[in-house]
Amino acid sequence: MDAQLDDKSLENTLAESLADLGPDTKTVSEDEFVEVVGGALEAVGGTLLFKMCVQNEGEGQHVAAASIGDGGNRQLLLLTLPTGGGPLKVETTSRSSNPVAGIAAAYAGLMDAFKTAA
């Protein structure tokens, strides 16, 4: 992947690769979410950091944090999908207003510290 991609380009690239992967069902299970996110990350060489289901503004959401690239070129992504179905949203954590975005950055830093310690 080109390390020079800006945040918006990265979001658009992932959104395009996800356009036909979204489940057509009305409710989305955690397994379906993992399958969609896994396929999207595989397409761009990304790594899933963690996933959770949260309530955001009264709506249930599946949320996944992912990492693409290494070192200074690493980008952190947030992928969200309403549990009631709808489009999968992809954002870089730096552009996201979702509270989970801060957790993603902290988690990635913690994993870096564990790698260094090991």
Side-chain angles (χ1 to χ4, degrees):
M1 184 180 123
D2 183 354
Q4 301 305 312
L5 278 180
D6 64 19
D7 289 355
K8 191 66 183 162
S9 296
L10 183 58
E11 290 171 10
N12 289 339
T13 300
L14 272 171
E16 287 168 16
S17 71
L18 296 169
D20 57 348
L21 290 176
D24 295 327
T25 56
K26 290 203 185 293
T27 58
V28 182
S29 72
E30 188 172 356
D31 288 344
E32 288 170 317
F33 177 64
V34 169
E35 188 176 324
V36 169
V37 168
L41 292 176
E42 189 176 313
V44 295
T47 303
L48 179 67
L49 298 175
F50 64 84
K51 61 178 172 43
M52 61 177 64
C53 192
V54 298
Q55 289 291 317
N56 191 9
E57 297 176 6
E59 177 183 60
Q61 276 186 336
H62 293 292
V63 181
S67 171
I68 295 179
D70 294 321
N73 293 327
R74 179 171 62 190
Q75 299 234 24
L76 299 175
L77 302 174
L78 209 59
L79 300 94
T80 55
L81 183 68
T83 56
L88 181 66
K89 185 176 179 182
V90 180
E91 308 172 283
T92 55
T93 56
S94 60
R95 291 169 48 99
S96 177
S97 61
N98 191 307
V100 178
I103 298 170
Y107 185 89
L110 185 60
M111 290 299 97
D112 290 345
F114 281 146
K115 284 180 190 171
T116 303

